[in-house]
Amino acid sequence: MYKTLTYLVMALLSINCLAQPELWGTTNNGGSIGSGTIFKLDTAGNNYSLEYDWQLLSDGKRPLCKMIQATNEKLYGVTFQDGANFGGVLFEYDFTTGTYIKKHDFSDPTGSLPEGELMQASNGKLYGLAGFGGTYNLGVLFEYDLTTSTYSNLIDFDLPILGGGPHGKLIEAPNGKLYGLNSHGGTLGFGTLFEFDISTGTANTIINLDSISSG
């Protein structure tokens, strides 16, 4: 299941490279075959440089959100489409060597078509949301362990309880739990705000959105 994209998405992050601040970002179109690019420029908006061009569909296509810089100083992101299973990929980019490495191919059984930004939790692992796939084809919450290079599908979103179709990124609150939003489902049918406990691997609905009082 693919979405037609008729607009250009550019997502930026700021990093310090050799003590010189730089802006790094992705585009979801353009490049040699129109699959998107990774670029950088200085903080004044000058000295644009194309750093990576998605030329092989097996390496992914169309990143829709910004990359993050993990504690190992490397950049991580996801593409929305293609890869070995046509469900997008999770990738690593080492800006010191200019090396792109595909770390995971998303697939329908364990989550596919990720749209939101990754985040690194206090345990050092990466977490994110895929909008489709999983047991109910309503999306998943996933984990990627940088130490073991292991992808894990942690939560299969359903429709009536946790909701489905997650969008955006997860955040980690001071209590150590992750929070995110589903775009539909829940007891009232308009999505949910959910909580994920990293320590127990369980998720709970915090708010059932209703389109009137809670949005």
Side-chain angles (χ1 to χ4, degrees):
M1 181 176 183
Y2 290 92
K3 294 183 178 179
T4 300
L5 301 174
T6 58
Y7 52 87
L8 174 68
V9 174
M10 298 177 68
L12 291 168
L13 78 157
S14 177
I15 66 174
N16 289 320
C17 181
L18 301 177
Q20 298 297 318
E22 294 177 340
L23 299 176
W24 284 72
T26 61
T27 67
N28 83 315
N29 267 304
S32 59
I33 65 171
S35 294
T37 67
I38 296 175
F39 65 91
K40 72 174 182 178
L41 65 164
D42 63 32
T43 54
N46 301 317
N47 297 311
Y48 175 92
S49 174
L50 176 64
E51 297 296 310
Y52 180 76
D53 181 354
W54 272 276
Q55 298 183 23
L56 299 175
L57 296 183
S58 60
D59 284 336
K61 175 182 178 181
R62 290 187 171 178
L64 295 183
C65 56
K66 78 175 187 178
M67 300 176 291
I68 65 165
Q69 186 175 22
T71 50
N72 62 8
E73 301 300 322
K74 297 177 182 179
L75 307 182
Y76 292 87
V78 294
T79 72
F80 178 65
Q81 294 178 350
D82 283 295
N85 305 309
F86 306 102
V89 308
L90 188 154
F91 66 86
E92 171 190 277
Y93 186 79
D94 187 336
F95 61 84
T96 62
T97 62
T99 304
Y100 175 95
I101 300 176
K102 180 177 66 172
K103 305 298 286 185
H104 173 72
D105 287 289
F106 289 95
S107 63
D108 286 343
T110 58
S112 61
L113 306 182
E115 298 181 58
E117 178 186 339
L118 298 171
M119 59 86 65
Q120 186 173 29
S122 55
N123 63 4
K125 298 178 181 180
L126 304 183
Y127 292 87
L129 301 166
F132 297 90
T135 300
Y136 309 102
N137 198 32
L138 291 167
V140 307
L141 186 154
F142 63 84
E143 171 190 273
Y144 187 79
D145 190 324
L146 295 175
T147 303
T148 62
S149 297
T150 303
Y151 172 93
S152 300
N153 170 23
L154 300 181
I155 297 293
D156 292 291
F157 290 108
D158 56 17
L159 197 63
I161 301 175
L162 292 173
H167 284 276
K169 65 174 286 188
L170 296 163
I171 64 167
E172 184 174 14
N175 62 8
K177 297 179 181 180
L178 307 185
Y179 292 86
L181 292 167
N182 274 315
S183 62
H184 54 274
T187 58
L188 302 176
F190 289 93
T192 63
L193 186 154
F194 62 86
E195 171 190 86
F196 177 73
D197 190 327
I198 295 176
S199 62
T200 63
T202 57
N204 297 290
T205 295
I206 302 300
I207 296 176
N208 286 285
L209 304 176
D210 62 11
S211 85
I212 300 174
S213 62
S214 58

